Amino acid sequence: MRNRLSYLLSRIFVGRCGFDDLSLFLMRAVPLPFLLSVILRKAAGGYFSMFFFSVSMVLFLWSLWRAFSTSLYSRKCENEHFLSSPIHQSVNGAMTRLSQSGHYRFFRCPGCRQWLRVPRGKGRIQIHCPHCGNSFIKKT
Ligand SMILES: [Zn+2]
């Protein structure tokens, strides 16, 4: 049964783009405007709710459309453009810092604004930036 289901799923995506980074980003962004539409359902006669619900549906349908698209080259170009965009890099960096925040502290270098990672629980330490050579003291 499970093999048959995975076979059917794999057959669906033959010759199609599938869920690449941009499609997954769009799909993961859907809950935010959807929650805003629920929270703001009574504000301004429901227009805010309708707006945010429409945004969430556009993101959802755009993600599905990309996943089932057969224009592989166009979707690949869009995905590469997205991967090099500042939005992806800042969101990806924030998610990485959040996932590692249990073991590490993150500081921005005052000299070059580069993010630096140091182990937690080491007390007051001098942090040396490998990018610009600046040093500063922080409590970990
Ligand atoms: Zn620096």
Side-chain angles (χ1 to χ4, degrees):
M1 180 66 187
R2 186 182 174 120
N3 286 341
R4 186 174 168 83
L5 184 64
S6 65
Y7 173 75
L8 287 174
L9 284 175
S10 67
R11 292 292 303 160
I12 287 173
F13 283 104
V14 168
R16 299 182 187 277
C17 183
F19 284 95
D20 57 6
D21 293 278
L22 178 55
S23 294
L24 288 174
F25 177 80
L26 294 170
M27 194 59 88
R28 289 174 183 151
V30 166
L32 181 65
F34 184 78
L35 285 175
L36 283 173
S37 76
V38 172
I39 292 169
L40 299 173
R41 68 181 180 275
K42 292 183 179 171
Y47 288 114
F48 285 130
S49 176
M50 197 181 323
F51 171 76
F52 285 115
F53 183 76
S54 301
V55 169
S56 70
M57 286 300 105
V58 166
L59 291 173
F60 180 73
L61 293 174
W62 187 13
S63 175
L64 281 183
W65 174 78
R66 290 194 82 261
F68 285 97
S69 173
T70 55
S71 304
L72 299 179
Y73 181 72
S74 301
R75 301 295 84 77
K76 184 180 172 204
C77 289
E78 291 168 2
N79 191 48
E80 285 177 3
H81 186 74
F82 168 71
L83 289 176
S84 63
S85 71
I87 290 176
H88 175 260
Q89 291 177 356
S90 63
V91 169
N92 202 28
M95 295 304 287
T96 301
R97 288 190 297 277
L98 184 67
S99 69
Q100 296 180 351
S101 63
H103 300 292
Y104 299 99
R105 294 254 353 235
F106 292 88
F107 299 103
R108 273 196 183 270
C109 171
C112 66
R113 308 294 298 155
Q114 181 71 36
W115 281 105
L116 301 173
R117 185 182 76 171
V118 293
R120 275 188 180 275
K122 301 292 182 189
R124 286 176 61 85
I125 60 171
Q126 183 174 12
I127 301 169
H128 179 77
C129 176
H131 300 278
C132 69
N134 190 18
S135 292
F136 55 99
I137 294 175
K138 287 282 184 182
K139 182 174 184 263
T140 61

Short mmCIF file of all heavy atoms in Angstrom, two decimals, residues 59-84:
data_model
loop_
_atom_site.label_atom_id
_atom_site.label_comp_id
_atom_site.label_asym_id
_atom_site.label_seq_id
_atom_site.Cartn_x
_atom_site.Cartn_y
_atom_site.Cartn_z
N LEU A 59 -0.60 32.91 -2.38
CA LEU A 59 0.66 32.23 -2.06
C LEU A 59 0.51 30.72 -2.21
O LEU A 59 1.37 30.04 -2.78
CB LEU A 59 1.12 32.58 -0.64
CG LEU A 59 1.57 34.01 -0.41
CD1 LEU A 59 1.84 34.23 1.08
CD2 LEU A 59 2.80 34.33 -1.22
N PHE A 60 -0.61 30.18 -1.70
CA PHE A 60 -0.86 28.74 -1.77
C PHE A 60 -0.97 28.26 -3.22
O PHE A 60 -0.32 27.28 -3.62
CB PHE A 60 -2.15 28.42 -0.99
CG PHE A 60 -2.51 26.98 -0.99
CD1 PHE A 60 -1.80 26.07 -0.23
CD2 PHE A 60 -3.58 26.52 -1.74
CE1 PHE A 60 -2.13 24.73 -0.22
CE2 PHE A 60 -3.92 25.18 -1.74
CZ PHE A 60 -3.20 24.29 -0.98
N LEU A 61 -1.77 28.98 -4.01
CA LEU A 61 -1.97 28.56 -5.41
C LEU A 61 -0.71 28.78 -6.24
O LEU A 61 -0.41 27.98 -7.13
CB LEU A 61 -3.15 29.33 -6.01
CG LEU A 61 -4.50 28.97 -5.39
CD1 LEU A 61 -5.60 29.87 -5.94
CD2 LEU A 61 -4.83 27.51 -5.64
N TRP A 62 0.03 29.85 -5.95
CA TRP A 62 1.30 30.10 -6.65
C TRP A 62 2.28 28.96 -6.38
O TRP A 62 2.95 28.47 -7.29
CB TRP A 62 1.86 31.43 -6.21
CG TRP A 62 3.07 31.91 -6.95
CD1 TRP A 62 3.57 31.42 -8.12
CD2 TRP A 62 3.94 32.98 -6.57
NE1 TRP A 62 4.70 32.12 -8.49
CE2 TRP A 62 4.95 33.08 -7.56
CE3 TRP A 62 3.95 33.86 -5.50
CZ2 TRP A 62 5.95 34.02 -7.48
CZ3 TRP A 62 4.96 34.81 -5.44
CH2 TRP A 62 5.93 34.88 -6.42
N SER A 63 2.36 28.53 -5.13
CA SER A 63 3.26 27.43 -4.78
C SER A 63 2.86 26.15 -5.50
O SER A 63 3.72 25.45 -6.07
CB SER A 63 3.24 27.21 -3.26
OG SER A 63 4.00 26.09 -2.93
N LEU A 64 1.56 25.83 -5.51
CA LEU A 64 1.09 24.62 -6.21
C LEU A 64 1.34 24.72 -7.71
O LEU A 64 1.77 23.75 -8.35
CB LEU A 64 -0.39 24.39 -5.95
CG LEU A 64 -0.76 23.77 -4.61
CD1 LEU A 64 -2.27 23.54 -4.56
CD2 LEU A 64 -0.03 22.47 -4.39
N TRP A 65 1.05 25.90 -8.27
CA TRP A 65 1.25 26.10 -9.71
C TRP A 65 2.72 25.88 -10.08
O TRP A 65 3.03 25.23 -11.08
CB TRP A 65 0.80 27.50 -10.10
CG TRP A 65 1.11 27.84 -11.53
CD1 TRP A 65 0.43 27.42 -12.63
CD2 TRP A 65 2.19 28.62 -11.99
NE1 TRP A 65 1.02 27.91 -13.76
CE2 TRP A 65 2.11 28.66 -13.40
CE3 TRP A 65 3.22 29.32 -11.37
CZ2 TRP A 65 3.02 29.35 -14.18
CZ3 TRP A 65 4.13 30.02 -12.15
CH2 TRP A 65 4.02 30.02 -13.54
N ARG A 66 3.65 26.40 -9.24
CA ARG A 66 5.07 26.21 -9.51
C ARG A 66 5.44 24.72 -9.43
O ARG A 66 6.22 24.22 -10.23
CB ARG A 66 5.92 27.01 -8.53
CG ARG A 66 5.85 28.50 -8.73
CD ARG A 66 6.94 29.24 -7.98
NE ARG A 66 8.18 29.20 -8.73
CZ ARG A 66 9.18 28.37 -8.54
NH1 ARG A 66 9.12 27.53 -7.55
NH2 ARG A 66 10.25 28.40 -9.29
N ALA A 67 4.91 24.02 -8.40
CA ALA A 67 5.25 22.61 -8.20
C ALA A 67 4.78 21.74 -9.37
O ALA A 67 5.46 20.79 -9.74
CB ALA A 67 4.66 22.10 -6.89
N PHE A 68 3.64 22.09 -9.96
CA PHE A 68 3.10 21.28 -11.05
C PHE A 68 3.43 21.83 -12.43
O PHE A 68 2.98 21.30 -13.43
CB PHE A 68 1.57 21.13 -10.90
CG PHE A 68 1.19 20.17 -9.81
CD1 PHE A 68 0.86 20.64 -8.55
CD2 PHE A 68 1.19 18.82 -10.04
CE1 PHE A 68 0.54 19.76 -7.53
CE2 PHE A 68 0.86 17.93 -9.03
CZ PHE A 68 0.54 18.40 -7.78
N SER A 69 4.23 22.87 -12.48
CA SER A 69 4.59 23.47 -13.75
C SER A 69 5.50 22.53 -14.55
O SER A 69 6.34 21.83 -13.98
CB SER A 69 5.29 24.80 -13.51
OG SER A 69 5.79 25.31 -14.73
N THR A 70 5.34 22.53 -15.86
CA THR A 70 6.21 21.72 -16.72
C THR A 70 7.27 22.57 -17.39
O THR A 70 8.09 22.04 -18.15
CB THR A 70 5.38 20.99 -17.79
OG1 THR A 70 4.61 21.95 -18.50
CG2 THR A 70 4.48 19.95 -17.16
N SER A 71 7.27 23.88 -17.14
CA SER A 71 8.31 24.77 -17.68
C SER A 71 9.51 24.75 -16.73
O SER A 71 9.72 25.66 -15.93
CB SER A 71 7.78 26.20 -17.81
OG SER A 71 6.64 26.23 -18.60
N LEU A 72 10.28 23.67 -16.83
CA LEU A 72 11.35 23.44 -15.85
C LEU A 72 12.41 24.53 -15.88
O LEU A 72 12.89 24.96 -14.83
CB LEU A 72 11.99 22.07 -16.11
CG LEU A 72 11.06 20.86 -15.99
CD1 LEU A 72 11.81 19.59 -16.29
CD2 LEU A 72 10.45 20.81 -14.61
N TYR A 73 12.78 24.99 -17.08
CA TYR A 73 13.85 25.98 -17.16
C TYR A 73 13.42 27.30 -16.53
O TYR A 73 14.18 27.91 -15.77
CB TYR A 73 14.26 26.20 -18.62
CG TYR A 73 15.38 27.19 -18.76
CD1 TYR A 73 16.67 26.85 -18.38
CD2 TYR A 73 15.14 28.48 -19.24
CE1 TYR A 73 17.71 27.76 -18.49
CE2 TYR A 73 16.17 29.40 -19.35
CZ TYR A 73 17.45 29.03 -18.97
OH TYR A 73 18.46 29.93 -19.06
N SER A 74 12.19 27.74 -16.79
CA SER A 74 11.70 29.00 -16.21
C SER A 74 11.64 28.91 -14.70
O SER A 74 12.05 29.84 -13.98
CB SER A 74 10.31 29.34 -16.76
OG SER A 74 10.35 29.45 -18.15
N ARG A 75 11.11 27.79 -14.19
CA ARG A 75 11.00 27.64 -12.72
C ARG A 75 12.39 27.57 -12.08
O ARG A 75 12.61 28.09 -10.99
CB ARG A 75 10.22 26.38 -12.37
CG ARG A 75 8.79 26.31 -12.90
CD ARG A 75 7.85 27.35 -12.33
NE ARG A 75 7.91 28.62 -13.02
CZ ARG A 75 7.34 28.88 -14.20
NH1 ARG A 75 6.66 27.97 -14.85
NH2 ARG A 75 7.45 30.08 -14.76
N LYS A 76 13.34 26.92 -12.80
CA LYS A 76 14.71 26.84 -12.26
C LYS A 76 15.34 28.22 -12.18
O LYS A 76 16.00 28.56 -11.20
CB LYS A 76 15.55 25.92 -13.15
CG LYS A 76 16.95 25.70 -12.63
CD LYS A 76 17.74 24.79 -13.55
CE LYS A 76 19.18 24.75 -13.08
NZ LYS A 76 20.09 24.41 -14.12
N CYS A 77 15.12 29.05 -13.21
CA CYS A 77 15.66 30.43 -13.20
C CYS A 77 15.04 31.23 -12.07
O CYS A 77 15.75 31.97 -11.36
CB CYS A 77 15.40 31.11 -14.54
SG CYS A 77 16.40 30.46 -15.89
N GLU A 78 13.72 31.10 -11.87
CA GLU A 78 13.06 31.82 -10.77
C GLU A 78 13.63 31.38 -9.43
O GLU A 78 13.87 32.20 -8.54
CB GLU A 78 11.55 31.54 -10.79
CG GLU A 78 10.81 32.15 -11.94
CD GLU A 78 9.40 31.60 -12.06
OE1 GLU A 78 8.99 30.78 -11.21
OE2 GLU A 78 8.72 31.99 -13.03
N ASN A 79 13.84 30.07 -9.27
CA ASN A 79 14.34 29.54 -8.01
C ASN A 79 15.77 30.03 -7.74
O ASN A 79 16.09 30.41 -6.61
CB ASN A 79 14.29 28.01 -8.03
CG ASN A 79 14.55 27.42 -6.67
OD1 ASN A 79 13.96 27.86 -5.69
ND2 ASN A 79 15.44 26.46 -6.59
N GLU A 80 16.62 30.06 -8.77
CA GLU A 80 17.99 30.54 -8.59
C GLU A 80 18.01 32.02 -8.24
O GLU A 80 18.80 32.46 -7.42
CB GLU A 80 18.81 30.26 -9.85
CG GLU A 80 19.18 28.79 -9.96
CD GLU A 80 19.94 28.49 -11.24
OE1 GLU A 80 20.24 29.42 -12.02
OE2 GLU A 80 20.22 27.31 -11.45
N HIS A 81 17.12 32.80 -8.87
CA HIS A 81 17.00 34.23 -8.55
C HIS A 81 16.57 34.39 -7.09
O HIS A 81 17.09 35.25 -6.38
CB HIS A 81 16.00 34.89 -9.49
CG HIS A 81 15.91 36.37 -9.33
ND1 HIS A 81 16.89 37.21 -9.79
CD2 HIS A 81 14.99 37.15 -8.73
CE1 HIS A 81 16.57 38.46 -9.50
NE2 HIS A 81 15.42 38.44 -8.85
N PHE A 82 15.63 33.56 -6.66
CA PHE A 82 15.16 33.61 -5.26
C PHE A 82 16.28 33.25 -4.29
O PHE A 82 16.46 33.90 -3.26
CB PHE A 82 13.97 32.65 -5.08
CG PHE A 82 13.61 32.42 -3.65
CD1 PHE A 82 13.01 33.41 -2.90
CD2 PHE A 82 13.86 31.20 -3.05
CE1 PHE A 82 12.68 33.20 -1.57
CE2 PHE A 82 13.54 30.98 -1.72
CZ PHE A 82 12.95 31.99 -0.99
N LEU A 83 17.07 32.21 -4.62
CA LEU A 83 18.13 31.77 -3.71
C LEU A 83 19.21 32.83 -3.53
O LEU A 83 19.85 32.89 -2.48
CB LEU A 83 18.75 30.47 -4.23
CG LEU A 83 17.87 29.24 -4.12
CD1 LEU A 83 18.56 28.03 -4.74
CD2 LEU A 83 17.51 28.95 -2.68
N SER A 84 19.42 33.67 -4.54
CA SER A 84 20.44 34.72 -4.42
C SER A 84 19.87 36.03 -3.89
O SER A 84 20.60 37.00 -3.74
CB SER A 84 21.11 34.95 -5.77
OG SER A 84 20.17 35.43 -6.70
#
